[in-house]
Amino acid sequence: MEQSVVSVDVVALRFWASDSSVTVGIAAREHEPFTGELALPGVLLGRGERLAVAARRAVHTKLGVPEAAIGAVGQLVTFDEPNRDPRGPTLSIAMWAVVGEHEGPAGWVPFDDVPPLAFDHERILEVARGYLARLLWKDLPFTRALIGSDFPATRAVDLATTLLGIRPDPANLNRTLAAIPGLHRTTERRRTKATGRPAAVWAFE
């Protein structure tokens, strides 16, 4: 039986202070197969290499993100369709990575406006979005990497809307935030948009 190789494909997430929604990093492939087509950053897993190390390598080399700007990294799900790669059987382990602010050449696209991608990367994004939505507010390293140590409630609404695909009910979101260990509502209020009232600020201890 032909032996599968293992690739690490990364859903690189950007949610900077100037962003109103989470976007995903994509780049044109430089090598066959699918040369010139857009894809998620991915690499073949090296012998003895840890998944998180491979994920960071993929984001750095394929998206041009400085290593210092790559924040938290985690594992999502495995894709084992035998024909997903024309080069032969390839097991894909999908990872997430949060990218901090930097100057770089990567393209960033919203989940709802992803162009055609190489391999099965559109399917990876579709499935990954559901996993990320379940991680939000429950996985603290993931959540804090995206939203920061303190944030106005409007940012929480924008973040939840991106990953859930629907705008959350404000009362339910407030209850969710209040139940997160180490997170509390401060007395500060902060305006994030030109119009609208300043929003309550939440902060992690």
Side-chain angles (χ1 to χ4, degrees):
M1 180 181 295
E2 188 176 2
Q3 197 72 16
S4 295
V5 297
V6 177
S7 68
V8 175
D9 296 304
V10 187
V11 180
L13 305 168
R14 163 182 161 166
F15 191 49
W16 299 353
S18 59
D19 296 331
S20 60
S21 66
V22 180
T23 52
V24 180
I26 57 175
R29 286 183 53 79
E30 296 181 353
H31 307 289
E32 289 290 349
F34 307 117
T35 303
E37 295 189 28
L38 295 172
L40 297 175
V43 294
L44 294 180
L45 186 67
R47 183 181 297 274
E49 187 176 32
R50 304 296 296 268
L51 291 174
V53 174
R56 291 175 182 276
R57 178 165 62 89
V59 174
H60 174 60
T61 59
K62 300 301 176 69
L63 295 184
V65 175
E67 293 182 4
I70 304 171
V73 174
Q75 187 173 344
L76 285 168
V77 64
T78 300
F79 293 82
D80 62 354
E81 166 55 51
N83 299 317
R84 60 174 304 278
D85 190 325
R87 292 170 293 188
T90 304
L91 193 69
S92 172
I93 300 177
M95 305 284 287
W96 60 263
V98 177
V99 173
E101 297 196 29
H102 68 282
E103 296 288 339
W108 299 92
V109 296
F111 275 96
D112 292 329
D113 196 24
V114 175
L117 300 178
F119 302 103
D120 56 350
H121 288 187
E122 290 170 65
R123 174 61 177 162
I124 288 177
L125 275 183
E126 178 185 352
V127 173
R129 188 176 188 178
Y131 277 81
L132 294 169
R134 290 191 287 275
L135 289 179
L136 184 62
W137 314 129
K138 297 180 179 65
D139 185 308
L140 293 190
F142 169 71
T143 300
R144 290 191 65 164
L146 272 175
I147 204 164
S149 59
D150 62 81
F151 54 91
T154 48
R155 289 280 286 171
V157 171
D158 290 342
L159 176 56
T161 299
T162 296
L163 297 184
L164 298 174
I166 57 172
R167 190 174 180 85
D169 176 76
N172 288 340
L173 181 58
N174 279 333
R175 283 191 289 270
T176 297
L177 296 177
I180 296 175
L183 181 66
H184 67 279
R185 181 171 174 163
T186 71
T187 58
E188 180 188 354
R189 301 188 74 84
R190 190 181 304 165
R191 188 189 302 275
T192 58
K193 300 176 182 178
T195 59
R197 295 181 300 173
V201 173
W202 293 78
F204 284 100
E205 297 175 355

